[in-house]
Amino acid sequence: MTKVALITGITGQDGSYLAEFLIDKGYEVHGLLRRSSSFNTGRIEHLYLDEWVRDMHRKRLVNLHYADMTDSSSLIRVIQTVQPGEIYNLAAQSHVKVSFDVPEYTAETDAVGTLRLLEAVRILGLEKKTRIYQASTSELYGLVQEVPQKETTPFYPRSPYGVAKLYGYWITKNYRESYGMFAVNGILFNHESERRGETFVTRKITIAVARIAQQMQDKLYLGNLDALRDWGYAKDYVECMWLMLQHNTPEDFVIATGEMHSVRDFCALAFAEAGIQLRWEGKGINEKGIDISTGKTLVEVDPKYFRPAEVEQLLGDPTKAKTLLGWNPRKTSFGELVKLMVKHDMKFVRKLKVKDEIDNE
Ligand code: NDP
Ligand code: GDR
């Protein structure tokens, strides 16, 4: 029988890779689409065609349903229609800094939204049929209590996003313990890709590097250059979400590479990929990244990108996932990740430039 999966957040970075992964595994894939005044299906356009085109091509593509994590009735309706064997709850207001500006909406979507989804499954009597993956995060660790962080490390979130996700983590665990649901948390550390949102630091850097290398921009402004993150490749991480739901018992897992790098290191490596060597000068808000060959300042610090409370360092220990799920944490190395993002964005910005030129003709 064909397996049926529902992905909330299918239009996001992870949702798009997970949809591809599940289609390859032969799943019938459904996703939530939220109403937007402009197209928000860019990352899954290659998987989503209007029904008449789909019938013509007889291709297995994703099926999209309008719904929103803030609207219980829409969640119940979609789950009732789709009757999924697996739900991947990836939908979230996922930007940490933005969560300080929209804390209530972040809580509605990321915390109460998770509750709404779990309740929808229970209301429909699917708690023994449907397995649920909850997108938990290394932001739960926040002000780090132990290095590296593993499944047993105490949490100390540092943002409205982290606090909302803490609720999502515990309510998932609570529904597992209270109702015997197969509901699990993947505590994923940062993972990036060519499809990463453009305001997260890695993609912001790789787009700026590509623009600076092609004389379309003079400088890149960043916030905390000292922040340390355990960065993996999103395409490698979605496999783990699936593995967790195939495991014989419902358990929570840390997914990370076990390697940590600073924002400064990521930045220097990205520029190096474009043939620009940087040297760093100054300290704190006066720090600058200077092109060694021209002496031009290419990177500066702008305090507007600082957060009211910062997570200074995150480093995960993926031993449990390696041992129980047989997952390889470093399929794509840090160097390869930076390289593939810069390579992609070199072409991406060139295409945008051509489009701008045509629009301005
Ligand atoms: P993105 O921000 O790229 O995608 C978020 C998705 O959620 C989008 O599809 C977005 O829709 C959707 N969404 C947002 N709000 C709502 C809402 N109210 N109702 C329905 N859908 C909504 O995130 P990622 O793909 O990077 O992350 C996926 C999940 O994993 C998130 O929950 C994130 O918090 C979590 N996570 C991510 C990590 C990472 O490093 N990427 C690490 C750990 C956890 P739209 O396209 O319309 O905006
Ligand atoms: P993060 O990712 O907050 O870890 O959350 P982000 O890329 O936004 O920040 C990483 C670190 O870089 C520092 N930083 C900057 N960040 C941004 N966005 N822009 C800047 O200009 C900048 N300069 C420095 C930040 O202060 C921070 O320390 C991501 C999201 O995907 C979450 O949804 C997910 O849960 C966590 O990763 C794990």
Side-chain angles (χ1 to χ4, degrees), residues 175-336:
Y175 271 50
R176 175 165 88 218
E177 291 171 358
S178 304
Y179 306 116
M181 288 166 77
F182 195 112
V184 300
N185 288 288
I187 308 173
L188 271 56
F189 282 60
N190 298 54
H191 44 279
E192 318 297 310
S193 74
E194 311 89 307
R195 296 185 194 166
R196 185 55 143 153
E198 292 163 22
T199 59
F200 296 97
V201 75
T202 56
R203 190 80 198 288
K204 178 174 166 182
I205 292 170
T206 57
I207 290 178
V209 163
R211 286 175 56 86
I212 290 170
Q214 296 177 62
Q215 286 82 47
M216 294 159 71
Q217 182 175 327
D218 294 330
K219 248 182 227 174
L220 163 64
Y221 292 93
L222 290 170
N224 180 10
L225 297 171
D226 293 321
L228 293 157
R229 288 292 183 276
D230 179 330
W231 278 298
Y233 185 35
K235 214 170 174 176
D236 297 340
Y237 280 36
V238 296
E239 182 193 6
C240 254
M241 301 175 182
W242 177 76
L243 285 172
M244 278 179 227
L245 291 195
Q246 313 315 307
H247 194 53
N248 43 12
T249 48
E251 290 183 45
D252 304 327
F253 288 89
V254 160
I255 304 300
T257 70
E259 248 182 67
M260 191 164 65
H261 299 270
S262 66
V263 169
R264 186 183 298 100
D265 288 349
F266 188 103
C267 194
L269 200 54
F271 272 102
E273 280 304 327
I276 300 168
Q277 305 301 326
L278 289 186
R279 77 179 145 79
W280 299 95
E281 236 180 59
K283 282 236 168 316
I285 55 165
N286 296 317
E287 187 165 355
K288 291 179 177 24
I290 297 168
D291 182 339
I292 290 180
S293 66
T294 63
K296 265 188 174 169
T297 297
L298 300 184
V299 185
E300 280 192 39
V301 173
D302 185 338
K304 91 169 170 214
Y305 296 112
F306 292 164
R307 292 155 188 207
E310 175 64 299
V311 173
E312 293 293 346
Q313 55 157 304
L314 291 171
L315 176 67
D317 174 359
T319 305
K320 184 178 173 190
K322 268 204 281 196
T323 316
L324 295 187
L325 302 176
W327 180 68
N328 170 10
R330 197 79 273 190
K331 254 194 205 160
T332 308
S333 71
F334 179 68
E336 283 163 352

Side-chain angles (χ1 to χ4, degrees), residues 109-211:
T109 303
D110 302 12
V112 188
T114 306
L115 171 69
R116 290 189 186 101
L117 190 80
L118 290 161
E119 266 301 287
V121 169
R122 219 166 68 81
I123 288 166
L124 293 166
L126 296 172
E127 59 267 56
K128 291 288 181 298
K129 184 190 161 213
T130 305
R131 295 187 168 199
I132 301 168
Y133 171 87
Q134 166 62 13
S136 283
T137 162
S138 49
E139 284 295 301
L140 299 177
Y141 299 118
L143 192 64
V144 159
Q145 310 291 301
E146 183 184 26
V147 181
Q149 295 89 56
K150 45 185 186 281
E151 290 77 4
T152 50
T153 301
F155 298 136
Y156 195 135
R158 295 269 284 168
S159 62
Y161 167 80
V163 175
K165 283 283 185 177
L166 186 71
Y167 179 88
Y169 170 92
W170 281 112
I171 201 67
T172 300
K173 197 164 167 138
N174 178 254
Y175 271 50
R176 175 165 88 218
E177 291 171 358
S178 304
Y179 306 116
M181 288 166 77
F182 195 112
V184 300
N185 288 288
I187 308 173
L188 271 56
F189 282 60
N190 298 54
H191 44 279
E192 318 297 310
S193 74
E194 311 89 307
R195 296 185 194 166
R196 185 55 143 153
E198 292 163 22
T199 59
F200 296 97
V201 75
T202 56
R203 190 80 198 288
K204 178 174 166 182
I205 292 170
T206 57
I207 290 178
V209 163
R211 286 175 56 86

Side-chain angles (χ1 to χ4, degrees), residues 1-6 27-28 30 79 82-88 121 126-133 182 245-246:
M1 258 202 0
T2 308
K3 285 187 160 189
V4 179
L6 175 66
Y27 277 69
E28 179 183 312
H30 297 258
I79 295 169
V82 172
Q83 298 280 314
E86 296 172 14
I87 298 180
Y88 296 86
V121 169
L126 296 172
E127 59 267 56
K128 291 288 181 298
K129 184 190 161 213
T130 305
R131 295 187 168 199
I132 301 168
Y133 171 87
F182 195 112
L245 291 195
Q246 313 315 307

